[in-house]
Amino acid sequence: NAGVTQTPKFRILKIGQSMTLQCAQDMNHNYMYWYRQDPGMGLKLIYYSVGAGITDKGEVPNGYNVSRSTTEDFPLRLELAAPSQTSVYFCASSTTAKGADTQYFGPGTRLTVL
Amino acid sequence: EDQVTQSPEALRLQEGESSSLNCSYTVSGLRGLFWYRQDPGKGPEFLFTLYSAGEEKEKERLKATLTKKESFLHITAPKPEDSATYLCAVQSSSNTGKLIFGQGTTLQVKP
């Protein structure tokens, strides 16, 4: 199993440009998540999905969009990139054990908006 | 509001010098408390899940414990390869699937 994979690893955008961060998992997990991590701030949840066709907002959803057409893929779309979106983005997926969901993370995408 | 606070922010140890990292939490019904390890430039790596007060889990030099208000990650006789940022997160019974993370503790173990 590859686990959770993310592409690209690094990206530089200009203000106003758009891009899609890709995330895929091969563990047949229903739950998938997108987080951003800023220095000293911990991880903040952007969007999450409990299954194909179902998505919901997390703590910091403004400026982002998601879709979930398959169990395996959960892309994150940035429209009109802004410097405040400079961050490291992590995708995660989870299984449920004893009622608590253990989340497994991808390697991250480092995004800089100039 | 669910909240997680980790202390200290940074910790420097000599190889073999045991210590503990703290994770204090407030949550409306705990479903699980998670510990992750994160190396620079990498994604968080799952270490432990604790479900109820009194529970303990061990992995090599790491031992995690849980009370009703906090969790400790005890590091016994650490080695330089234990250097990393350790993240604590909680999942509440009212927010299925969502994790609330602390800011992390960055551990440096010097040889």
Side-chain angles (χ1 to χ4, degrees):
Chain A
N1 284 351
V4 180
T5 57
Q6 293 183 240
T7 56
K9 290 186 177 180
F10 304 95
R11 184 71 185 268
I12 297 175
L13 284 181
K14 294 182 179 179
I15 294 172
Q17 287 185 321
S18 300
M19 76 163 293
T20 299
L21 282 66
Q22 301 292 343
C23 173
Q25 54 91 10
D26 61 359
M27 297 176 282
N28 201 31
H29 288 170
N30 285 328
Y31 286 58
M32 295 187 75
Y33 312 84
W34 274 106
Y35 293 90
R36 60 177 288 171
Q37 186 176 39
D38 300 310
M41 298 294 290
L43 283 91
K44 302 291 186 184
L45 183 65
I46 305 171
Y47 270 95
Y48 69 102
S49 170
V50 301
I54 306 170
T55 63
D56 205 350
K57 296 178 180 179
E59 189 178 358
V60 289
N62 292 343
Y64 307 95
N65 277 301
V66 293
S67 60
R68 184 101 180 266
S69 57
T70 67
T71 299
E72 295 79 17
D73 300 299
F74 190 40
L76 177 71
R77 178 79 177 166
L78 278 72
E79 304 283 2
L80 299 175
S84 60
Q85 293 177 305
T86 294
S87 189
V88 182
Y89 292 85
F90 291 101
C91 179
S93 69
S94 72
T95 183
T96 300
K98 277 180 127 177
D101 302 316
T102 301
Q103 295 185 18
Y104 298 90
F105 285 79
T109 294
R110 185 174 295 273
L111 175 67
T112 302
V113 182
L114 301 174
Chain B
E1 180 182 347
D2 300 337
Q3 195 168 4
V4 178
T5 303
Q6 292 186 245
S7 62
E9 289 187 10
L11 182 62
R12 289 184 178 181
L13 299 173
Q14 289 296 128
E15 185 172 1
E17 180 187 2
S18 301
S19 187
S20 297
L21 282 56
N22 177 264
C23 172
S24 297
Y25 66 91
T26 54
V27 65
S28 53
L30 182 70
R31 292 186 77 207
L33 184 141
F34 302 81
W35 282 99
Y36 287 86
R37 170 190 171 126
Q38 187 175 25
D39 293 302
K42 302 269 184 82
E45 175 187 350
F46 171 71
L47 291 174
F48 304 110
T49 308
L50 301 167
Y51 299 100
S52 57
E55 189 173 1
E56 299 181 351
K57 290 203 176 163
E58 289 188 65
K59 180 180 181 180
E60 296 180 356
R61 294 176 292 282
L62 300 177
K63 179 180 177 180
T65 62
L66 181 65
T67 72
K68 289 186 177 180
K69 292 187 176 181
E70 57 191 350
S71 176
F72 291 94
L73 185 64
H74 306 280
I75 303 176
T76 302
K79 298 182 177 182
E81 53 262 42
D82 294 322
S83 298
T85 296
Y86 291 86
L87 301 171
C88 172
V90 297
Q91 186 177 77
S92 80
S93 57
S94 62
N95 282 320
T96 301
K98 298 179 185 178
L99 290 180
I100 306 298
F101 279 87
Q103 295 92 329
T105 294
T106 299
L107 172 66
Q108 184 180 25
V109 182
K110 295 192 171 184

